[in-house]
Amino acid sequence: MLNLLPEKKGYSIIFSSLISNEFPELKSKKFVGMFGMRITEFNYFKHFDALVFIGNGEKVSY
């Protein structure tokens, strides 16, 4: 899924509707082992409107 990002160092958003239009084959593709989900294979584009990737996060404390 990371190869769909425009760049990998900054913040990126992938909108499910745009992916479905540009890459219809991904509508049924299952991705393995992402986001700490307990399900091993999952199609994120069917269940989320958008996916946000944070390339350079900062550790915070409260």
Side-chain angles (χ1 to χ4, degrees):
M1 188 180 302
L2 293 175
N3 64 342
L4 300 172
L5 297 175
E7 56 134 332
K8 295 179 182 151
K9 294 189 177 195
Y11 304 124
S12 297
I13 268 188
I14 297 178
F15 292 100
S16 297
S17 58
L18 293 176
I19 288 295
S20 294
N21 292 337
E22 302 241 352
F23 304 98
E25 66 275 10
L26 292 180
K27 284 191 226 179
S28 60
K29 179 173 174 65
K30 291 186 177 183
F31 298 90
V32 178
M34 297 187 65
F35 306 117
M37 302 282 284
R38 296 194 177 175
I39 302 168
T40 56
E41 292 186 357
F42 193 76
N43 185 318
Y44 295 91
F45 299 119
K46 283 186 179 178
H47 299 280
F48 299 103
D49 294 329
L51 302 170
V52 178
F53 293 88
I54 300 172
N56 294 319
E58 294 180 24
K59 188 174 181 178
V60 297
S61 62
Y62 296 99

